[in-house]
Amino acid sequence: MNTDTTPSALGTLDIKKLLIKYALPSIIAMTAASLYNMVDSMFIGHGVGADGLTGLSLTLPLMNITSAFGSLVGIGGATLMSVKLGQNDYGKARMILGNVVLMNLLVGALLTTLSLTFLDKILYMFGASDDTIIYARDYMRIILGGNIITASFLGLIDMSRSTGHPTKAMIAILIAVSLNSILDYIFIFHLSMGIKGAALATVAAQVVSLIFVASQFFRKDSFIRFERDIFRLDGRIVKDMLAIGLSPFLMNLCSSGVVALINLSLKEHGGDIAIGAYGIVNRFFLLFVMVNMGFNQGMQPIAGYNYGAGKYDRLKRVFKYTVLCAVATSTVGFILGQLCPGVITRMFTTNRELTDMAERGLHLVLILFPLVGYQMVSANFFQSIGMAKKAIFLSLSRQLLFLIPFLLIMPRMLGTDGVWLSIPMADLVSITVTTIMLRREMKKLR
């Protein structure tokens, strides 16, 4: 057996090589996932129009809610899987796989039922108007109808990474992105299906990718695979999984509330067009955030394994290298957003009012963006080693304790600019708090 592909390699191989090995496929996959959303926005912006782009922006809070439940199960299970592999507990690791599959099916079905039942009320609460809800409703009905597929797909992606197959996870997402782009073009421009075509393309692409990533766990030579006796809920595993996954769950849930609040503030001070502008800013912002999440996902199994094995020097080294990579990535995003915002916005729309407002948003939102990479990795560090309470606090503090107060105060003084500036102001406070907590934890690890 090639020792480079076994879980024990996480505790022996060179840290830089390991980070590259695990992070590169994740970065490609996460970048592809971000492009996944950007492609939808671009096709809708040029093929449906400004109202369609605003309607898509209105779905962001609800999409974050579905992501929150996916991360509750997937990321919690992935972290638990890494720790158990570090402890050589393969029997428990196999049970984790079965519980992830079952929980994704249960949670996905429940969320779909509730969301479809109250869809219009939810969208109006998130800032929809009579002109834009038509687009948001048409898109989300199809997306929610395929939510079980999405949850299962993302859950198995997390399992694939944690069991030493990051390349498989990367290929699965690349398949989804490529197929989605092709189907977007066909459904929107050739079949004139509008925003419904974009949603249908997304679900169809995920069905194909789900089949691909699931095939790994049917292989008899896979040390973590589907077996009949693993498909039963284990109370202890579910409890531990949800405890660890609670941090990213709450982060995504809060993100949903914050995006809704941003939409409502922008609607009040700039109208529907401002919500569309935020959609463009958010898509660009997320591109670099997703790259940093790729670094985090590369760090997660390495950090989890070495923490479980008591190899704290290796744990600190992988954290250091991941921070350097994430800060460099955020700096690239900052430079592009400041120097060529017009090029970025015209990729999504040719509407002059919309591009002007989006360019202003890019300038202001990205002011402190280089330091955001550091904050993301630091918060994920606590999650990767199973310190759920600290990870939850860092995840919640930026959005609940810092960003919401700024969003309630600054737009009253500065209008739309106040909405944009609330984001870097919250980043500044969050970075300060994260640094204090991180320094204390590093002293303990010495």
Side-chain angles (χ1 to χ4, degrees), residues 393 396-405:
F393 173 76
L396 291 179
S397 61
R398 177 185 176 273
Q399 300 183 77
L400 283 182
L401 298 181
F402 310 139
L403 183 52
I404 289 179

Side-chain angles (χ1 to χ4, degrees), residues 171-184:
I171 294 173
I173 293 183
L174 288 175
I175 290 172
V177 174
S178 301
L179 186 57
N180 180 63
S181 300
I182 295 170
L183 294 178
D184 263 340

